[in-house]
């Protein structure tokens, strides 16, 4: 693998150098030729003022120009040889000539469509710096391997070996997708029956839930090529390149049919078309090309387009029309059984000690995606190796879970004694508050040992999987999140940046409560999530203000509640914080001991 990559890198560098040389030589050549030409042709060139004079004096018979170019060919009356002229502004010049024609002067104005060759001369020179830049950019892309991302996987060596068995959980989704596998394998049966097969399937789901994996599995099961590309590649592309990339992608697909085309992060090109400004126009071109390609499929072409996104609300509605992505499948985060299956699959090639209980790991990781679970097992293997364990032990896995969970919170790093005290009261604040809220899960561990970018953390026992979360539970979650800041405020009468992640999460939850779950009385059960201002106005002039007001109310209320709880239980807050300052870390049983004393 590595050797392969090295060779590829070398090859890329060679290509880059060759391209650079080519561009430089070409540039020099054009310069030379043009220089010579312009010396010879000096007397054949008309200055602009001369040209205007000649036109006014009716000496000009015909003017030929290329659209968009400032150089013209001028044929004078009674002279065979054509002269050249450069105009400062083509549009102004055309208007001027048309005015003369309207005055009754006899001039023929020919506008040729833009052609590369006609322009090759002077335009090429002026474009040269740009061309060199473009070439350099392309080289950079290639050398960084960015070009590789969009690489089209070839049918022969690049067939994916992923099968449905490699995708854990998602049984219902697989069932729904198996029909596509059948279609790819034997399209004629479906055609004969007159059955309509979806052309495009949209996979919705959080990052890491296995969308790419399941798309590959479909290709693997049907044993057809998997051609993929990611929407985010288009974002920084040069004008017009996006659309042509899409065209090439589908040209390739038609050659390799039957096959799967996979477009990852389709929201990057398929965002709702709103205005016509710069980057968006470019996006629109790309999106339009995609729509054109999908609409143009003929019935003999067995191509299924799969696309993935984690922001379905962003998508342009045109993508969802019949014949396009008319089937949508939600890929959920795995439930308990799903997590266990994923853990089993990813521990197959790892050496697990007998004391590892994957069931309990699955129980502890509610809300985790497949990618996070795979990551935990991999981290565990690394930790076990570092600790020189013979096998991956339970403590290695617990450590890995912590690493993945805590990686999410971002408190600032503890430095001074003062910071340490702040952190202790911050974490104690979270922990103590949660202890008094019935819907919240018990504390598992509290720590003020910095971890990565984190100053401290409080871990809770995992929730069992739930389909619904109540309003009470969400409100109490807000109180726990603000408990950190409340702890700092009450004990030290100061607040820190350590709460920034808590505040971010709390605000998101509060906003969801208001706009997505309709949990406030003043707004009621109306879906307001992600709506543009003009859409909000449908519900009343001031609805946008009301949303903000309600979010603020929820947060304020939670902050007040957190402070009240901590004032009421100040002894517990102090006890936990003091213990943290002494021991830096408190586990579940130590925590309960302090609490019950
Ligand atoms: P997405 O495309 O939804 O962001 P991926 O398909 O790229 O997620 O998943 C990343 C990795 O996570 C996969 O390569 C696989 O190792 C693991 N993974 C995710 N979901 C599953 C699953 N359901 N079963 C097994 N592995 C999974
Ligand atoms: Mg993916
Ligand atoms: Zn916090």
């Amino acid at each position: 693998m590595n050797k392969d990559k090295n060779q590829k890198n070398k090859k890329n560098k060679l290509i880059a150098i060759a391209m650079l040389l080519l561009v430089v030589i070409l540039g020099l050549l054009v310069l030379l030729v043009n220089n010579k030409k312009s010396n010879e042709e000096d007397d054949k060139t008309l200055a602009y003022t001369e040209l205007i004079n000649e036109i006014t004096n009716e000496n000009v018979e015909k003017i030929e120009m290329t659209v968009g170019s400032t150089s013209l060919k001028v044929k004078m009356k009674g002279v065979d040889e054509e002269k050249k002229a450069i105009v400062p502004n083509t549009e102004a010049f055309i208007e001027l000539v048309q005015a003369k024609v309207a005055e009754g002067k006899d001039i023929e104005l020919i506008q040729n469509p833009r052609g590369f060759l006609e322009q090759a001369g002077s335009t090429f020179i002026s474009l040269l710096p740009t061309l060199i830049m473009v070439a350099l950019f392309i080289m950079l892309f290639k050398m960084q391997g960015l070009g590789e991302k969009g690489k089209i996987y070839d049918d022969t060596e690049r067939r994916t070996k992923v099968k449905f068995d490699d995708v854990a959980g998602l049984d219902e989704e697989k069932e729904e997708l198996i029909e596509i596998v059948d279609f790819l394998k034997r399209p004629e049966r479906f055609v004969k029956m007159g059955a309509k097969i979806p052309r495009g399937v949209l996979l919705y789901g959080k990052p890491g839930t296995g969308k790419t994996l399941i798309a590959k599995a479909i290709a693997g099961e049907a044993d057809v090529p998997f051609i993929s590309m990611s929407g985010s590649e288009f974002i920084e592309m040069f004008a017009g390149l996006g659309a042509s990339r899409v065209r090439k992608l589908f040209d390739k697909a038609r050659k390799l049919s039957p096959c799967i085309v996979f477009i990852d992060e389709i929201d990057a090109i398929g965002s709702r078309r709103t205005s016509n400004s710069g980057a968006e126009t470019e996006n629109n071109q790309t999106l339009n090309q995609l729509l054109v390609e999908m609409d143009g499929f003929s019935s003999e072409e067995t191509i299924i387009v799969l696309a993935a996104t984690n922001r379905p609300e962003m998508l342009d509605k045109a993508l969802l029309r019949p014949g396009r992505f008319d089937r949508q499948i939600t890929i959920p985060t795995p439930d308990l059984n799903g997590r266990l299956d994923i853990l089993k699959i990813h521990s197959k090639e790892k050496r697990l000690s007998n004391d590892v209980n994957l069931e309990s790991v699955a129980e502890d990781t509610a809300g985790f995606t497949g990618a996070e679970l795979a990551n935990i097992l991999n981290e565990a293997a690394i930790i076990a190796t570092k600790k020189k364990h013979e096998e991956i032990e339970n403590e290695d896995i617990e450590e890995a879970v912590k690493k993945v969970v805590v990686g999410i919170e971002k408190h600032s790093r503890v430095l001074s004694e003062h910071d340490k005290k702040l952190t202790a009261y911050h974490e104690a604040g979270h922990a103590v508050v949660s202890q008094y809220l019935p819907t919240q899960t018990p504390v598992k561990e509290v720590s003020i040992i910095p971890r990565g970018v984190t100053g401290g953390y409080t871990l809770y026992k995992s929730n069992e999987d739930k389909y619904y979360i109540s309003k009470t539970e969400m409100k109490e979650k807000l109180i726990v999140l603000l408990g950190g800041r409340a702890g700092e405020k009450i004990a030290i009468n100061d607040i820190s940046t350590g709460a920034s992640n808590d505040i971010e999460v709390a605000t998101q939850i509060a906003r969801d409560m208001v706009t997505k779950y309709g949990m406030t009385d003043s707004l009621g059960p109306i879906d307001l999530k992600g709506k543009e201002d003009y859409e909000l106005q449908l519900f009343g002039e001031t609805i946008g203000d009301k949303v903000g007001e309600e979010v603020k109310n929820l947060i304020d209320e939670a902050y007040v509640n957190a402070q009240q709880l901590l004032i009421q239980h100040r002894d517990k807050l102090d006890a936990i914080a003091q213990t943290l300052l002494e021991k830096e870390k408190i586990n579940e049983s130590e925590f309960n001991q302090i609490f019950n004393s």
Side-chain angles (χ1 to χ4, degrees):
M1 273 285 279
N2 243 333
K3 212 175 149 196
D4 226 46
K5 230 191 177 148
N6 266 339
Q7 275 182 347
K8 223 178 229 163
N9 266 342
K10 257 191 205 160
K11 212 175 114 195
N12 274 342
K13 266 185 202 151
L14 276 179
I15 293 175
I17 292 169
M19 273 174 60
L20 188 66
L21 276 176
L22 202 79
V23 170
V24 170
I25 291 171
L26 221 77
L28 283 176
L29 260 173
V30 172
L31 267 172
L32 257 170
V33 169
N34 233 56
N35 224 343
K36 218 170 155 195
K37 239 167 86 190
S38 64
N39 283 340
E40 276 174 10
E41 291 181 352
D42 247 6
D43 53 335
K44 288 190 213 157
T45 307
L46 276 175
Y48 185 58
T49 43
E50 279 179 289
L51 174 64
I52 302 296
N53 275 338
E54 299 288 15
I55 292 174
T56 314
N57 298 334
E58 297 195 48
N59 291 331
V60 176
E61 180 183 322
K62 189 168 92 178
I63 297 171
E64 208 172 323
M65 63 194 301
T66 305
V67 173
S69 161
T70 52
S71 69
L72 336 162
K73 284 192 223 154
V74 183
K75 166 116 175 44
M76 312 287 280
K77 282 182 184 154
V79 187
D80 267 348
E81 207 170 338
E82 284 178 342
K83 292 203 177 197
K84 278 193 163 179
I86 307 277
V87 294
N89 177 332
T90 4
E91 271 151 49
F93 178 72
I94 291 170
E95 270 174 34
L96 186 139
V97 175
Q98 281 166 348
K100 298 278 179 198
V101 173
E103 279 169 30
K105 298 209 160 85
D106 178 28
I107 311 166
E108 193 183 354
L109 179 68
I110 299 173
Q111 285 174 267
N112 292 322
R114 189 196 284 270
F116 180 71
L117 282 176
E118 286 99 301
Q119 291 182 46
S122 58
T123 324
F124 191 82
I125 295 281
S126 61
L127 277 181
L128 203 59
T130 323
L131 284 177
I132 291 176
M133 287 290 285
V134 170
L136 282 173
F137 264 116
I138 292 172
M139 268 161 42
L140 273 176
F141 268 113
K142 282 242 152 160
M143 284 164 89
Q144 288 179 355
L146 283 171
E148 293 292 292
K149 269 204 309 187
K151 195 178 159 94
I152 286 166
Y153 295 125
D154 223 77
D155 56 335
T156 44
E157 73 254 72
R158 295 293 192 147
R159 274 185 198 241
T160 144
K161 289 202 175 65
V162 181
K163 291 275 155 64
F164 273 160
D165 274 348
D166 300 311
V167 185
L170 302 177
D171 290 336
E172 284 154 42
E173 291 76 13
K174 282 194 263 186
E175 220 161 86
E176 201 171 343
L177 290 165
I178 202 128
E179 142 187 332
I180 290 178
V181 175
D182 288 340
F183 173 64
L184 286 165
K185 275 182 169 163
R186 272 175 294 179
E188 65 289 342
R189 283 195 343 183
F190 287 81
V191 173
K192 229 188 265 168
M193 201 67 78
K196 254 185 93 184
I197 292 299
R199 283 307 190 183
V201 180
L202 204 51
L203 304 173
Y204 291 155
K206 263 173 56 172
T209 44
K211 299 182 293 296
T212 309
L213 189 69
I214 208 165
K216 279 189 182 161
I218 295 171
E221 288 285 341
D223 196 24
V224 301
F226 181 78
I227 308 174
S228 79
M229 134 178 302
S230 169
S232 63
E233 286 167 53
F234 294 112
I235 294 178
E236 282 145 52
M237 277 211 170
F238 310 105
L241 230 57
S244 98
R245 278 294 274 288
V246 170
R247 201 175 311 124
K248 278 195 193 126
L249 180 77
F250 282 89
D251 282 348
K252 181 98 186 175
R254 272 183 214 102
K255 280 195 199 109
L256 296 179
S257 153
C259 68
I260 293 269
V261 172
F262 180 65
I263 304 174
D264 209 354
E265 301 176 68
I266 192 168
D267 44 280
I269 46 173
S271 295
R272 258 187 262 176
R273 291 173 287 191
T274 42
S275 71
N276 269 328
S277 62
E280 274 193 28
T281 318
E282 166 61 9
N283 265 349
N284 290 353
Q285 281 183 24
T286 312
L287 174 59
N288 286 339
Q289 188 62 38
L290 177 62
L291 298 178
V292 165
E293 297 289 350
M294 288 189 75
D295 291 345
F297 282 152
S298 72
S299 53
E300 298 93 67
E301 283 156 356
T302 316
I303 300 170
I304 302 278
V305 188
L306 293 168
T309 181
N310 55 339
R311 299 190 296 177
E313 73 282 355
M314 296 282 294
L315 289 183
D316 196 300
K317 294 276 182 293
L319 276 169
L320 309 180
R321 297 228 179 93
R324 295 169 180 171
F325 293 100
D326 49 8
R327 188 169 302 188
Q328 290 114 39
I329 296 180
T330 305
I331 308 292
T333 47
D335 61 7
L336 182 63
N337 281 327
R339 293 198 299 278
L340 184 57
D341 285 346
I342 294 172
L343 288 166
K344 279 183 185 157
I345 283 185
H346 287 278
S347 56
K348 253 187 209 155
E349 280 150 33
K350 297 195 168 64
R351 288 178 57 180
L352 290 192
S353 144
N354 280 333
D355 75 337
V356 172
N357 181 351
L358 290 181
E359 274 89 6
S360 91
V361 179
E363 278 166 17
D364 275 349
T365 47
F368 278 47
T369 63
E372 283 167 332
L373 293 169
N375 189 19
I376 283 176
L377 287 172
N378 195 47
E379 286 289 347
I382 292 169
I383 290 165
T385 313
K386 274 193 193 152
K387 288 193 184 159
K388 301 204 164 57
H389 292 167
E390 290 287 308
E391 296 167 315
I392 299 172
E393 289 169 19
N394 196 47
E395 60 171 84
D396 302 327
I397 296 200
E398 287 208 340
E399 182 73 18
V401 172
K402 234 179 272 175
K403 214 171 159 181
V404 174
V405 178
V406 177
I408 301 163
E409 245 202 3
K410 281 184 193 129
H411 298 192
S412 49
R413 183 174 285 276
V414 177
L415 295 169
S416 63
E417 278 305 304
H418 177 74
D419 284 352
K420 218 169 162 180
K421 204 172 159 195
L422 259 176
T423 312
Y425 272 99
H426 178 105
E427 298 307 332
H430 283 308
V432 171
V433 159
S434 82
Q435 197 71 1
Y436 291 104
L437 298 168
T439 64
Q440 299 301 298
T441 50
V443 170
K444 200 174 170 188
E445 186 174 298
V446 194
S447 159
I448 56 165
I449 303 168
R451 233 176 204 283
V453 290
T454 308
Y457 57 87
T458 304
L459 290 179
Y460 310 92
K461 292 185 108 171
S462 188
N463 248 333
E464 77 272 30
D465 288 287
K466 278 199 239 173
Y467 282 107
Y468 303 111
I469 304 174
S470 72
K471 180 176 173 183
T472 311
E473 188 174 347
M474 289 179 105
K475 284 179 98 170
E476 294 191 352
K477 178 84 196 168
L478 291 180
I479 300 174
V480 171
L481 283 164
L482 291 162
R485 166 150 289 190
E488 298 175 18
K489 176 95 174 63
I490 283 165
I492 304 177
N493 195 22
D494 193 6
I495 48 176
S496 76
T497 54
S500 72
N501 182 255
D502 299 333
I503 292 172
E504 193 182 323
V505 176
T507 310
Q508 189 56 50
I509 291 176
R511 189 175 296 144
D512 282 350
M513 288 173 76
V514 176
T515 64
K516 189 177 178 184
Y517 303 120
M519 285 177 173
T520 56
D521 293 333
S522 75
L523 291 164
I526 301 175
D527 169 29
L528 301 165
K529 200 174 166 65
K531 295 260 193 297
E532 308 274 342
D533 276 349
Y534 71 91
E535 289 171 290
L536 283 179
Q537 274 174 15
L538 289 177
F539 302 106
E541 285 283 306
T542 55
I543 198 102
D545 301 340
K546 262 196 206 149
V547 167
E549 213 172 277
E550 288 293 352
V551 170
K552 188 171 180 327
N553 283 345
L554 283 168
I555 302 274
D556 286 349
E557 193 189 323
Y559 190 38
V560 168
N561 277 332
Q563 293 184 65
Q564 276 171 351
L565 275 172
L566 291 179
I567 290 168
Q568 201 181 334
H569 303 285
R570 180 65 196 256
D571 55 329
K572 300 289 186 239
L573 178 69
D574 286 335
I576 302 284
Q578 280 310 316
T579 315
L580 274 174
L581 285 168
E582 282 159 33
K583 300 169 96 172
E584 296 200 319
K585 197 180 204 173
I586 308 176
N587 67 24
E588 189 179 346
S589 64
E590 290 165 334
F591 183 84
N592 288 334
Q593 232 169 39
I594 298 170
F595 240 86
N596 296 329
S597 64

